[in-house]
Structure formats: C-alpha cells, structure tokens
C-alpha cells in the first residue's frame, strides 16, 4: 500500500538536504560547542552559522535567536520568562491570550493564572479570527504581555498579528508582544523588521519546517529581559542553559535556508524538482501548495454532501484545510483512512488521545457534535497531484461507508 501523508501540521518530513547537513554532527563532528579546542570550535561555528540562517529567515539579528528544544519550550519561556519578575515582586500583571492557542500557551497561561497572574482569553469570531477592537478593549494599564498565535494549527487561520502588535504598542510601548509562529514558519514570510516589527518574542519549532523533532527557536528582540526557565551554564547568552543540540540546530539552520529559498521561489520561477530519497516531486512555491490544497478541498466539497470548510472565509496558511463531515465521527474516519493508507489529523497531534472535542472549533461556535465531525488535512511540500487524486477517491468512499453505518 502506498501511503499518503496529509498530517504535515503534526510533523513534516525531514528534507534530504537537512539530513545531509546534520549527519556529520552525529558522527565525526561531535565536539561540545562550549569547548575551547578545535572540535569544540568547529561545533560552535556550526551553531552560529545556523543561528545566522534562522535570523536571516526572520529578518532579525543572530543575537536575538535563542535555540530551544521546540515550540512548547519556546512558548513557556516566553510567557514565564516575561511574567516571572512580576510574580517575584507581587506587582499586578495582566496577560492577554486567546481561546484558540496551542496548549503550550493555554496551559502555561493557566499555570500562571493559578499563581495570581490575571489572564484574559479572547474569543474568536466564527471564522477563527480575533477582532482587533475586542483586543484593544481588553488592554488595561497593567497588561504586561500579549501572546497570540500567528497561524492556527487546526484551521490554518492567520491572525492579523502586525495590526494587533501595533495596537498593543500604541497602548503601552513597554508591553511585550509574543506570537507562536510554529505553524507559520516556512509557510509564510516572517519579517520582524517590517510587518512584525512590533513583535518582541516569536516561537518556532523545527519539526514543523522540515527539520527534526526536538529543535526550536525563541526570537527575543534586543532589549527584552527574559528570566530563564533553566538554571545551569551561560548558554544562549544566559537565556537557555544546557549544552546545545548541535545536530538539531544545524538541521534547523539548513531548514531555515531552504525555507527562505522556497518562500521566494514564486518570484524566482524555480520549477518543481525531484527530492532524493522520497520519490516525490517537491512543490517549489507556496502558490503551488495552495493550489493543491484547494484542489483537495473543492474536490471533497463536490463529492461529499453536507460538508463544510471550517474558517473558509478567513486567510489561511497554504497547506491546511479543516473539513466538517456532518454525521461522522472524525476519530472513526481517521482510523478508517489510516487503514486505507491516508494519514490525517483532527486536532493538535499532542492531544490526539483526548476524548474532548477541539477547543479551537468550540471557541469558534461549533457544537460538540460538529467539532467531533471535523477532520484536518495538511499537505507538505512532498504532496503530489496523484496523491490528491487518490485521496479524492478514498475519502468520499470512507465517509459514505461511515454514514451508512450510523
């Protein structure tokens, strides 16, 4: 059975070029980057090259890039790192976030709330968007931190982060603005010197941008004071203790270089090319990926009655669609599709064992039954037109079969 992978928002394949870049650091180039000898300095040079590549992707400076173990750590470091001094001093502090964040932010916010941080959880509209006017109304004199995701992991909805950050800074220039950009990286341009110049903290995760799992980044704008989560050595400019994961960091740096090229490929006219080791042709532009996503989405809407796209009227990242099949249990559909070779998702991968319906879809106003009937399909650069055609045969048949049994 030839499998079709449509769960890239859970994790992406690792690009062959990324594997090639990290391989030497798993074997002969094993030095500790904190060591003064030549092997250590070789490792240090590789880490700093990767730091520069990530900074270039984000239009930031290398000193503003902190390497972490992934998006969850980056989000926790952002929230707790900013608010810990207020907890220590007892000074009132207010955090604004949303009801549709990844649990890395939501659970961190809830933990801070238990420690007497005041938290406001903004509700989205029916398309999953945060209303800038509602955000502005929630700001108060002791608001110290805002954390709002750039792109949603379940629906793909893109929030107007540039506008929200401008509103926040107009209210109080000292207010710190964080965005979880895990699902936006390598899908959307991220310009921290332009559109996002008012963003102070930004989280990335390597395994959502074609690097291995266990790697991440927190961008920390110059001048932002961050209390570290870990205590130990003076790594990452005393912001994140612990010996650097050199192979993972090198891989993340190479993935950042490839992402920058891919995001610019539409204007460069780069053709689709084969990817060694995968047998598929790489989609060489966001536009090509979006076209393939739309082909899948429209094909399913046409073939399956009583089907709805969640957040259809909102701007979305080019690879993601969240579809509601009325009368279907999405978990049963996911299992049925897996048995026929299609990997899909119905929420955050780290919550896939949960029995509760999606908190994101509930916040958007869906009923529990509607949320449970929703399936997420997320494409990667490896997805092919032939795979989409095959999915358009398998998914409608699976939905019809499940409906006939209900």
């Amino acid at each position: 059975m030839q499998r079709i992978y449509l769960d890239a928002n859970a994790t992406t394949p690792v690009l062959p070029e990324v594997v090639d870049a990290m391989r030497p650091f798993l074997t002969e180039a094993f030095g500790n980057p904190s060591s003064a000898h030549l092997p250590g300095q070789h490792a240090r040079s590789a880490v700093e090259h990767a730091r520069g590549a990530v900074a270039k992707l984000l239009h930031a400076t290398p000193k503003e890039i902190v390497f972490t173990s992934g998006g969850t750590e980056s989000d926790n470091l952002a929230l707790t790192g900013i608010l810990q001094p207020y907890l220590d001093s007892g000074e009132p502090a207010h955090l604004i976030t949303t009801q549709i964040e990844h649990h890395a932010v939501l659970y961190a916010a809830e933990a801070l709330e238990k420690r007497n941080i005041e938290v406001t959880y903004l509700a989205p509209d029916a398309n999953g968007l945060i209303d800038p006017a509602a955000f502005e109304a929630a700001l108060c004199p002791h608001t110290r931190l805002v954390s709002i995701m750039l792109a949603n992991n379940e629906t793909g909805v893109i929030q107007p982060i540039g506008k929200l950050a401008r509103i926040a800074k107009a209210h109080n220039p000292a207010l710190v603005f964080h965005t979880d950009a895990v699902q936006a990286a390598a899908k959307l341009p991220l310009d921290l010197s332009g559109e996002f110049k008012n963003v102070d903290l930004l989280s990335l995760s390597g395994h959502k941008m074609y690097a291995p799992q266990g790697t991440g980044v927190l961008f920390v704008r110059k001048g932002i004071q961050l209390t570290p989560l870990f205590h130990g050595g003076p790594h990452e400019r005393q912001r994140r203790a612990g010996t650097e994961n050199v192979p993972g960091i090198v891989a993340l740096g190479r993935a950042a270089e490839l992402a920058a090229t891919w995001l610019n490929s539409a204007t460069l006219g780069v053709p689709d090319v084969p990817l060694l080791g995968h047998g598929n042709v790489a989609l060489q532009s966001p536009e090509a990926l979006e076209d393939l996503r739309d082909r899948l989405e429209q094909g399913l809407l046409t073939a399956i009655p009583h089907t709805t796209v969640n957040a259809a009227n909102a701007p979305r990242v080019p690879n993601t669609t969240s579809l509601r099949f009325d009368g279907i249990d999405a978990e049963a559909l996911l299992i049925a599709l897996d048995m026929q070779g299609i990997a899909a998702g119905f929420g955050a991968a780290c919550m896939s064992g949960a029995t509760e319906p999606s908190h994101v879809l509930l916040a958007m106003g869906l009923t529990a039954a509607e949320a449970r009937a929703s399936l997420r399909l997320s494409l990667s650069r490896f997805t092919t037109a032939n795979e989409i055609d095959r999915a358009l045969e398998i998914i409608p048949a699976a939905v019809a079969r499940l409906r006939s049994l209900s």
Side-chain angles (χ1 to χ4, degrees), residues 311-369:
N313 297 319
R316 293 177 289 157
V317 290
N319 77 314
T320 305
T321 181
S322 172
L323 293 141
R324 183 171 79 248
F325 305 102
D326 291 349
I328 291 295
D329 183 321
E331 187 170 6
L333 177 58
L334 186 146
I335 294 169
L337 294 177
D338 188 41
M339 292 176 66
Q340 296 183 69
I342 295 179
F346 57 87
C350 52
M351 299 297 294
S352 59
T355 57
E356 295 299 313
S358 160
H359 71 283
V360 172
L361 299 180
L362 292 178
M364 290 167 53
L366 274 68
T367 66

Side-chain angles (χ1 to χ4, degrees), residues 118-261:
E118 181 184 346
V119 183
T120 296
Y121 300 91
L122 296 174
D125 65 17
N127 278 299
L129 288 165
I130 298 301
D131 179 11
F135 169 69
E136 187 169 16
L139 293 164
C140 65
H142 60 285
T143 302
R144 309 299 183 189
L145 176 65
V146 172
S147 182
I148 298 178
M149 67 186 347
L150 178 51
N152 188 266
N153 49 299
E154 296 190 34
T155 62
V157 170
I158 302 167
Q159 299 297 336
I161 293 299
K163 182 174 184 178
L164 297 175
R166 287 194 298 272
I167 292 170
K169 293 297 184 179
H171 171 79
N172 179 4
L175 190 157
V176 177
F177 196 104
H178 167 252
T179 187
D180 177 344
V182 164
Q183 291 293 345
K187 299 173 188 173
L188 304 174
L190 300 175
D191 188 351
L192 287 161
S193 67
E195 180 184 3
F196 302 130
K197 65 182 180 181
N198 291 306
V199 170
D200 301 299
L201 302 166
L202 180 145
S203 302
L204 300 181
S205 181
H207 78 106
K208 305 301 173 69
M209 51 185 289
Y210 303 90
Q213 296 157 1
T215 61
V217 164
L218 181 65
F219 159 81
V220 182
R221 191 173 293 281
K222 182 181 178 181
I224 297 296
Q225 298 299 311
L226 199 67
T227 301
L229 290 177
F230 303 153
H231 302 285
H235 308 84
E236 298 299 298
R237 299 181 180 272
Q238 300 186 335
R239 295 173 293 193
R240 201 273 186 181
T243 301
E244 296 91 340
N245 171 9
V246 179
I249 288 170
V250 168
L252 181 51
R254 185 65 179 125
E257 292 174 339
L258 295 167
T261 300

